[in-house]
Amino acid sequence: MSKKHQLEKHSYSDTGLAGIVSHLPDYRIVHFLNKELKYTLAKLPDMSVSAGSKSEVGKFSFYSCYNKEYSITFCLIGNKSEDFILVPQLKNIDYFLLMMNLSERYNITEIAGKVRAIPGVIMVQWIEPDKIPRINEILGLTELHLLSVKDKNR
């Protein structure tokens, strides 16, 4: 008799995800985020994600930084590539601001207010990660992407 394996539901209590709607190009959004939030987001190679059939790959813009004071990794990920949308259920979102290893000490409400104040930002929406069907895949790809970039820089 074979055993049944069940996947445990992941808790996203330490993950923050904001959707940003803006017609600004990624480098302008990053400039303003770095200025307003005192981040040091830097351009990394685009994140490749298989879309549709396994042979089709979308490349999504990717910026990242690490905050030593709070031990948080911030990533700005484009939701749209030339031919694909990373999260089709949220096709109105242009960028995702992903925060990993959040603690209660970090004020995410303040972040939303500062991002909303950026010229060219139309909307900021906090998204519950467990409401996105592909969230485990996206978080896994994000972590793998960060590790592969780190390995290349050694």
Side-chain angles (χ1 to χ4, degrees):
M1 181 181 273
S2 64
K3 289 185 179 181
K4 284 189 176 183
H5 296 280
Q6 292 185 333
L7 295 175
E8 292 181 31
K9 190 169 182 173
H10 188 276
S11 168
Y12 299 102
S13 60
D14 66 343
T15 304
L17 186 64
I20 301 172
V21 178
S22 175
H23 297 296
L24 293 175
D26 54 2
Y27 64 90
R28 294 294 295 155
I29 291 281
V30 167
H31 166 76
F32 287 118
L33 288 172
N34 285 343
K35 182 179 174 185
E36 297 298 323
L37 299 172
K38 311 293 187 252
Y39 289 175
T40 56
L41 288 164
K43 176 75 173 148
L44 298 178
D46 290 348
M47 183 170 71
S48 298
V49 178
S50 63
S53 72
K54 297 290 181 191
S55 63
E56 297 176 322
V57 175
K59 294 191 175 274
F60 300 91
S61 64
F62 195 93
Y63 295 78
S64 182
C65 70
Y66 180 74
N67 180 302
K68 290 180 184 177
E69 179 182 351
Y70 292 101
S71 299
I72 299 172
T73 300
F74 297 96
C75 299
L76 184 77
I77 306 167
N79 189 34
K80 299 170 183 171
S81 70
E82 288 188 27
D83 299 320
F84 303 106
I85 298 176
L86 184 62
V87 182
Q89 297 84 355
L90 298 171
K91 62 185 171 195
N92 62 323
I93 300 294
D94 295 302
Y95 304 100
F96 292 107
L97 181 60
L98 175 64
M99 294 154 274
M100 298 183 284
N101 302 322
L102 274 177
S103 68
E104 292 176 9
R105 301 182 312 150
Y106 201 77
N107 187 345
I108 60 173
T109 306
E110 183 180 326
I111 293 172
K114 288 183 177 182
V115 174
R116 280 187 190 101
I118 292 173
V121 169
I122 299 165
M123 182 185 81
V124 177
Q125 171 186 353
W126 287 109
I127 301 166
E128 293 181 43
D130 58 352
K131 302 289 186 212
I132 298 175
R134 294 178 60 192
I135 192 64
N136 284 331
E137 178 186 358
I138 292 167
L139 290 175
L141 289 170
T142 300
E143 289 178 16
L144 286 173
H145 188 66
L146 288 168
L147 287 172
S148 71
V149 170
K150 188 184 264 187
D151 283 347
K152 287 179 185 176
N153 291 335
R154 284 187 182 178

